């Protein structure tokens, strides 16, 4: 795991090294073990890298790395879990290697297969390859979007990096807010890709690649999840899930440094620990967060799980004062606003301090196996909305939105004013602020936007059921835009690599043919049946999620000072996450000096 950055086709070539150095410094935290810069002789391309050494800890793993007489250069962030098999296949073709790294395997694959190299890779990745003979650059991102890759284009120049802050540190992109990205954040708590909060900076789509040549850019999507149900018995489905998970976990433990597991006390993380015992001998490290507040505290059950599976367990007791002390570091670590992330920030801190450089997370289990209530509620909303169409739902929606201060009912009113499809139902169900409230905030922060361009649409491929559509949305919206983004930034703030075995392309290809009535059975029943090692007291406990007692902590005077807005908008700020989302946004805007808010209050009453 590392930090990558680069600059292609920069007109002011005498400043290229300065630009690269600024970007490299902005992502130093991602790679504390090594760093390097490459600039092509003709100054058409420059790469910067910061390294967190996981595989082949020797200097042979230094990046940017080159092969073939310095023709091909790469800067790479991520892990390729099947690199040993790929390496063996390439050696059998007569190709020699100079290191034991997965980085060199990618380079040799690109040399052999060109852009199709991405179809051979099993893992999480974002990388750029420069062909110094053809004068082309190839950028790619993993199928699920586990690793981020941001880019900015102006004329023939293209900048890219693992984090938004590195592009801004170059001083080349402007800092003008993107109204569509801001609307997305206000509605859902995160910015939907490919947008960002900054105008003209985008993310490379997950499962996509980009090719640059002399300022011209070509993009292509090489992978997208599809659900194609095939007849299968319950028993066969359970065995398929079990074997796919064991296989994925085995690959995700490939490392030359210690690997731990985030243990929240839920079904997903406990499944990882239980199945890891099928593939891992010896010490297994686990990490959890505990609270004084009983309502949120899953420390005791995590401790019991650790004892059951004989792990070397570390618990981090997080009190309100301790959490408040960490908040300044957390705010500094934020690369883009989100209503989540503090949980990963805290558990990553303790894992790194205990000597782990790699940790597994159960992220993805809810999205693949129907763990959220959205799998039941969104289809109900769609069917209800379709039945109400003849009752003039627009007027009903307006009445609901205007006659209540209940946030859920207001969002339901929003939904009834839009076509009753799964995307609109999902936006309303997952919402933070309503459409009209978001417009009020936008009016204050970046006036002059075109309302017609804000909400947009989200193309959903043909799915066999509404439940499959919800699974697609959870994977491609909430998980990718919020959970994966927070997981990457907050773990890398401590120099920790987080791996997600549930989000393995091979695993997804194994289970995407299981019909939704089996795969998404309520309560994640398929996953539970596939892992009979799960203790009954884990399976039967109420679903809680990895939640923090923020609403309780905000009563603490020290926390109240942190959560004061410059000026409070004329909106309801209950529940707590509404205020949180605006505070995080305001502090981020102040930190980067983003126009037009740098010289005046972000929110006005």
């Amino acid at each position: 795991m590392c930090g990558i950055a680069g600059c292609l086709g920069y007109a002011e070539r005498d400043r290229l090294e300065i630009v690269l150095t600024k970007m490299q410094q902005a992502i130093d935290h991602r790679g504390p073990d090594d760093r390097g810069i490459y600039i092509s002789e003709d100054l058409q391309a420059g790469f910067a890298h910061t390294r967190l050494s996981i595989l082949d800890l020797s200097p042979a793993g230094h990046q940017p790395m080159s092969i073939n007489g310095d023709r091909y250069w790469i800067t790479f962030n991520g892990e390729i879990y099947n690199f040993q098999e790929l390496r063996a296949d390439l050696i059998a073709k007569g190709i020699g290697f100079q290191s034991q790294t997965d980085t060199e395997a990618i380079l040799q694959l690109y040399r052999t297969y060109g852009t199709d190299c991405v179809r051979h890779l099993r893992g999480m990745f974002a990388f750029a390859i420069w062909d110094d003979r053809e004068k082309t650059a190839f950028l790619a991102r993993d199928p699920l979007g586990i690793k981020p890759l941001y880019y900015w284009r102006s004329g023939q120049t293209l900048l890219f990096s693992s984090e938004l802050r590195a592009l801004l540190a170059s001083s080349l992109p402007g800092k003008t807010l993107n109204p569509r990205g801001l609307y997305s954040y206000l509605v859902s708590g995160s910015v939907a890709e490919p947008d960002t909060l900054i105008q003209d900076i985008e993310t490379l789509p997950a499962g996509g690649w980009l090719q640059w040549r002399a300022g011209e850019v070509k993009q292509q999507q090489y992978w997208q999840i599809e659900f194609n149900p095939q007849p299968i018995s319950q028993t066969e489905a359970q065995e398929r899930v079990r074997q796919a998970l064991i296989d994925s976990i085995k690959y995700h433990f490939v490392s030359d440094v210690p690997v731990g597991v985030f243990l929240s006390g839920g079904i997903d993380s406990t499944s990882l620990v239980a199945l890891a015992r099928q593939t891992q001998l010896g010490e297994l490290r686990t990490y959890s967060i505990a609270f004084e507040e009983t309502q949120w505290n899953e420390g005791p059950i995590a401790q019991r799980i650790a004892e059951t599976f004989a792990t070397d367990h570390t618990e981090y007791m997080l009190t309100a004062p301790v959490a408040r002390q960490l908040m300044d570091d957390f705010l500094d670590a934020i690369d883009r606003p989100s209503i989540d992330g503090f949980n990963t920030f805290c558990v990553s801190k303790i894992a790194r301090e205990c000597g782990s450089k790699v940790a597994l997370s159960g992220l993805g289990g809810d999205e693949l196996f129907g763990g959220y209530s959205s799998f039941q509620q969104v289809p109900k909303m769609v069917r209800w909305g379709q039945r109400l169409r003849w009752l003039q739902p627009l007027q009903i929606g307006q009445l609901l939105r205007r006659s209540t201060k209940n946030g859920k009912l207001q969002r339901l009113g929003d939904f009834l004013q839009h076509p009753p499809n799964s995307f609109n139902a999902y936006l309303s169900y997952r919402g933070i602020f309503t459409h009209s409230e978001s417009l009020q905030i936008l009016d204050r922060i970046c006036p002059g936007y075109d309302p017609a361009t804000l909400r947009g649409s989200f193309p959903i491929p043909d799915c066999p059921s509404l439940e499959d559509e919800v699974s697609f949305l959870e994977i491609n919206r909430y998980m990718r835009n919020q959970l994966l983004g927070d997981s990457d930034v907050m773990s890398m703030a401590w120099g920790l690599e987080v791996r997600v075995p549930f989000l393995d392309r091979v695993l997804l290809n194994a289970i995407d043919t299981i019909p939704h009535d089996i795969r998404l059975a309520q309560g994640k029943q398929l996953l539970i049946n596939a892992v009979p090692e799960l203790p009954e007291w884990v399976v039967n406990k109420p679903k809680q999620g990895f939640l923090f007692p923020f609403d309780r902590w905000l009563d603490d005077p020290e926390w109240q000072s942190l959560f004061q807005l410059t000026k409070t908008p004329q909106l309801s700020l209950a529940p707590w996450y509404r205020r949180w989302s605006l505070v995080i946004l305001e502090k981020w805007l102040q930190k980067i000096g983003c126009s037009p808010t740098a010289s005046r209050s972000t929110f006005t009453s």
Side-chain angles (χ1 to χ4, degrees):
M1 191 68 62
C2 306
I4 66 172
C7 181
L8 306 168
Y10 186 36
E12 298 182 40
R13 299 183 184 183
D14 58 325
R15 298 189 67 251
L16 179 56
E17 185 172 0
I18 296 173
V19 169
L20 292 171
T21 300
K22 286 181 177 179
M23 290 197 291
Q24 185 186 57
Q25 290 172 344
I27 52 174
D28 263 347
H29 56 279
R30 296 183 67 95
D33 298 328
D34 190 20
R35 55 193 44 79
I37 286 178
Y38 158 74
I39 298 176
S40 64
E41 288 188 9
D42 60 5
L43 304 181
Q44 275 289 292
F47 288 172
H49 190 85
T50 62
R51 184 187 183 198
L52 179 66
S53 304
I54 304 296
L55 296 170
D56 192 345
L57 310 185
S58 74
H62 177 79
Q63 293 190 51
M65 180 184 291
S66 67
I67 62 167
N68 199 33
D70 290 346
R71 173 179 173 178
Y72 300 104
W73 287 83
I74 187 172
T75 182
F76 160 55
N77 170 36
E79 300 292 342
I80 307 302
Y81 305 123
N82 65 333
F83 83 98
Q84 293 284 16
E85 294 98 309
L86 297 172
R87 192 172 184 274
D89 290 343
L90 291 166
I91 289 174
K93 290 180 169 62
I95 295 174
F97 281 76
Q98 303 301 314
S99 73
Q100 299 294 322
T101 65
D102 51 353
T103 308
E104 188 178 0
I106 299 173
L107 270 178
Q108 297 289 5
L109 274 174
Y110 182 75
R111 175 187 175 188
T112 305
Y113 298 109
T115 59
D116 276 347
C117 68
V118 290
R119 302 184 185 277
H120 298 261
L121 301 175
R122 180 180 189 177
M124 54 181 184
F125 55 84
F127 63 80
I129 294 175
W130 173 250
D131 182 340
D132 200 41
R133 181 183 299 172
E134 297 295 328
K135 305 301 178 184
T136 60
F138 177 70
L139 283 65
R141 192 172 175 212
D142 67 72
L144 276 300
I146 302 168
K147 292 294 101 187
L149 188 56
Y150 297 94
Y151 72 95
W152 170 83
R153 289 180 63 200
S154 178
Q156 292 198 338
T157 302
L158 185 145
L159 292 183
F160 66 87
S161 182
S162 300
E163 296 190 11
L164 192 63
R165 77 182 84 218
L167 299 184
L168 297 179
S170 74
S171 301
L172 296 184
K175 295 180 181 179
T176 303
L177 274 176
N178 174 11
R180 191 168 58 196
L182 180 57
Y183 174 84
S184 177
Y185 173 76
L186 295 170
V187 167
S188 64
S190 60
V191 181
E193 297 182 356
D195 283 316
T196 71
L197 281 175
I198 303 299
Q199 195 74 47
D200 299 323
I201 295 180
E202 298 185 11
T203 57
L204 183 65
W209 58 255
L210 178 154
Q211 192 172 55
W212 179 96
R213 181 196 294 267
E216 297 297 320
V217 168
K218 174 185 177 182
Q219 279 190 242
Q220 183 172 309
Q221 192 81 12
Y222 69 86
W223 191 88
Q224 178 62 276
I225 188 170
E226 295 179 356
F227 300 112
N228 182 27
Q230 303 295 322
I232 190 174
S233 69
Q234 180 76 39
T235 302
E236 290 172 325
Q238 291 168 197
E239 185 59 24
R240 182 179 298 178
V241 169
R242 180 178 180 83
Q243 293 307 315
L245 271 174
I246 290 175
D247 177 68
S248 178
I249 291 169
K250 179 184 70 175
Y251 274 95
H252 280 73
F253 266 94
V254 174
S255 173
D256 292 333
V257 296
V259 177
V261 181
F262 291 164
L263 183 56
S264 67
I267 290 172
D268 300 332
S269 62
T270 308
S271 295
L272 292 185
V273 172
L275 294 181
R277 279 298 178 211
Q278 304 294 312
T279 63
Q280 303 302 308
L281 301 175
E283 182 184 67
L284 180 61
R285 302 181 182 184
T286 53
Y287 306 98
S288 68
I289 301 292
F291 305 107
E292 292 179 319
E293 296 84 358
T294 305
Q295 179 181 349
W296 290 269
N297 187 27
E298 290 200 315
I301 197 167
Q303 184 67 49
R304 189 177 176 187
I305 294 166
E307 292 171 357
T308 300
F309 294 103
T311 72
D312 179 4
H313 187 64
T314 302
E315 178 182 278
Y316 186 29
M317 177 61 71
L318 201 62
T319 63
V322 171
R324 179 62 186 89
Q325 290 176 5
L326 288 173
M327 283 304 299
D328 290 337
D329 290 336
F330 169 71
L331 292 171
D332 187 58
I334 290 173
D335 187 48
R336 78 286 185 277
S338 166
I339 62 166
D340 207 345
F342 191 57
N343 47 9
T344 304
F345 182 79
C346 293
V347 73
S348 296
K349 174 182 184 294
I350 192 63
R352 192 68 178 92
E353 289 178 350
C354 289
S356 288
K357 294 178 77 172
V358 178
L360 305 190
S361 164
L363 196 157
D366 286 319
E367 291 79 3
L368 294 180
F369 297 105
Y372 298 128
S373 56
S374 58
F375 285 92
Q376 290 78 49
Q377 298 306 319
V378 168
K380 286 182 183 178
M381 290 173 65
V382 172
R383 295 180 182 115
W384 186 41
Q386 291 172 343
R387 293 190 188 104
L388 287 177
R389 297 192 76 169
W390 63 278
L391 288 175
Q392 296 182 311
L394 178 62
Q395 286 85 345
I396 297 174
Q398 291 173 339
L399 180 64
L400 273 175
R401 185 167 55 81
R402 294 170 181 171
S403 64
T404 179
K405 293 185 178 180
N406 183 292
K408 290 184 178 180
L409 288 178
Q410 287 184 333
R411 295 199 301 272
L412 178 60
D414 264 356
F415 166 61
L416 292 175
Q417 295 180 75
H418 294 89
N421 56 45
S422 59
F423 175 67
N424 287 323
Y426 180 79
L427 280 188
S428 298
Y429 184 81
R430 279 283 187 194
I432 306 299
F433 290 100
T434 66
H435 173 73
S436 60
E437 289 172 329
S438 298
L439 295 186
Q440 289 180 51
I441 299 171
L442 275 167
D443 286 339
R444 299 295 185 180
I445 300 180
C446 49
Y449 61 88
D450 179 0
T453 66
L454 296 179
R455 192 175 181 96
S457 62
F458 189 72
I460 302 174
D462 289 338
C463 290
S465 69
L466 281 172
E467 290 77 9
D468 284 312
E469 289 185 13
V470 176
S471 186
F472 181 88
L473 287 165
E474 291 288 12
I475 291 168
N476 289 282
R477 298 285 295 200
Y478 176 58
M479 186 190 75
R480 178 169 302 144
N481 300 327
Q482 184 164 308
L483 299 182
L484 284 176
D486 291 339
S487 180
D488 173 81
V489 170
M490 293 306 159
S491 60
M492 292 307 297
W494 297 106
L496 180 80
E497 172 177 300
V498 171
R499 300 178 177 181
V500 280
F502 281 105
L503 301 181
D504 176 67
R505 179 171 64 173
V506 176
L507 184 149
L508 265 66
N509 288 341
I511 70 172
D512 62 13
T513 57
I514 299 175
H516 80 274
D517 58 330
I518 297 177
R519 182 175 66 86
L520 301 174
Q522 191 167 355
K524 292 193 281 197
Q525 199 59 51
L526 177 58
L527 177 59
I528 290 169
N529 293 338
V531 190
E533 295 91 342
L534 288 170
E536 183 179 351
W537 36 270
V538 171
V539 171
N540 292 332
K541 80 177 186 67
K543 179 176 174 58
Q544 183 169 322
F546 200 178
L547 301 178
F548 277 40
F550 285 121
D551 52 350
R552 181 76 58 84
W553 289 349
L554 293 183
D555 293 332
D556 188 307
E558 292 187 18
W559 280 82
Q560 289 176 1
S561 62
L562 173 72
F563 271 69
Q564 291 300 315
L565 288 162
T566 303
K567 289 190 177 180
T568 304
Q570 294 177 329
L571 302 170
S572 169
L573 295 182
W576 67 268
Y577 52 76
R578 287 181 147 216
R579 177 179 290 276
W580 170 278
S581 67
L582 294 184
V583 167
I584 294 297
L585 175 63
E586 183 174 75
K587 290 185 180 299
W588 181 80
L589 291 173
Q590 291 170 352
K591 180 175 73 171
I592 69 168
C594 183
S595 63
T597 59
S599 59
R600 62 182 179 86
S601 299
T602 302
F603 306 106
T604 55
S605 56

